[in-house]
């Protein structure tokens, strides 16, 4: 891979990592904090909303930090994909495509980016490469997609109880 490609992957990881850290921080310390986030999750039909709020914060912060350093990149991407799938399915899908109408545009872009990053790999400027544990190509993308969809399915099966429309 060229130096330009490795630099581009570093930039993608840094931006995605910072976005996730900021998102996790906002859910934890911003606005209504954990209580506000829990209330929002409860309104989406998730049971144990306080637990969901903490799991979301830990997932977003943890995945963000892992992406920043490029460690366990496919698993970090899978965590981001799962967060985006849950957000897209529960909060944004019914609002259509465009983000300015609270649609799924933003979560779709981040979700697809995680699968692509899984295929591309973390690049040379990463702990994964330094430790010779980078997973790339179809395997990397498959890990991201498989773990992300499995985690989302498990969370929804256990904790999602949609309200019945009357």
């Amino acid at each position: 891979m060229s130096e330009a490609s490795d630099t581009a992957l570093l930039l993608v990881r840094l931006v995605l990592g910072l976005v996730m850290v900021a998102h996790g921080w906002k859910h934890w310390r911003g606005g209504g904090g954990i209580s506000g986030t829990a209330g929002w999750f409860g309104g989406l039909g998730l049971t144990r909303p306080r637990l969901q709020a903490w799991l979301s914060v830990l997932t977003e912060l943890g995945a963000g930090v892992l992406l920043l350093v490029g460690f366990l990149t496919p698993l970090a991407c899978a965590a981001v994909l799962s967060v985006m799938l849950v957000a897209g399915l529960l909060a944004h899908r019914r609002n259509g495509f465009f983000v300015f109408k609270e649609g799924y545009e933003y979560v779709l872009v981040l979700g697809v980016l995680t699968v692509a990053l899984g295929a591309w790999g973390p690049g040379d400027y990463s702990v994964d490469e330094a430790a010779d544990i980078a997973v790339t190509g179809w395997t990397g993308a498959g890990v991201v997609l498989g773990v992300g969809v499995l985690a989302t399915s498990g969370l929804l099966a256990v904790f999602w109880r949609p309200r019945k429309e009357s």
Side-chain angles (χ1 to χ4, degrees):
M1 191 172 289
S2 72
E3 184 178 342
S5 296
D6 287 316
T7 302
L9 289 172
L10 174 63
L11 288 173
V12 168
R13 279 196 356 261
L14 290 177
V15 169
L16 186 57
L18 288 171
V19 165
M20 294 314 297
V21 167
H23 214 64
W25 186 263
K26 184 172 184 325
H27 282 149
W28 179 26
R29 307 297 280 172
I34 289 293
S35 295
T37 301
W40 184 62
F41 285 161
L44 295 174
L46 289 169
T47 62
R48 312 261 335 253
R50 191 160 183 85
L51 172 64
Q52 295 305 315
W54 277 111
L55 290 175
S56 178
V57 165
L58 293 173
T59 300
E60 291 164 354
L61 291 174
V65 169
L66 290 174
L67 285 167
L68 288 171
V69 298
F71 183 53
L72 303 175
T73 303
L75 295 178
C77 286
V80 174
L81 176 61
S82 183
V83 169
M84 295 305 118
L85 285 171
V86 171
L89 291 168
L90 301 189
H92 300 288
R93 178 177 48 101
R94 67 180 171 267
N95 299 323
F97 179 73
F98 294 104
V99 71
F100 64 85
K101 292 187 176 184
E102 297 295 324
Y104 59 86
E105 175 183 16
Y106 173 73
V107 297
L108 175 66
V109 169
L110 291 183
V112 170
L113 181 61
T114 64
V115 177
L117 187 56
W120 294 327
D124 278 352
Y125 310 128
S126 66
V127 173
D128 286 345
E129 281 295 333
D132 198 28
I133 60 171
V135 178
T136 64
W138 290 114
T139 303
V143 168
V144 174
L145 197 55
V147 172
V149 168
L150 188 64
T152 302
S153 299
L155 181 135
L156 294 178
V158 173
F159 293 106
W160 187 46
R161 300 296 176 262
R163 292 176 294 234
K164 304 261 190 241
E165 303 268 340
S166 38

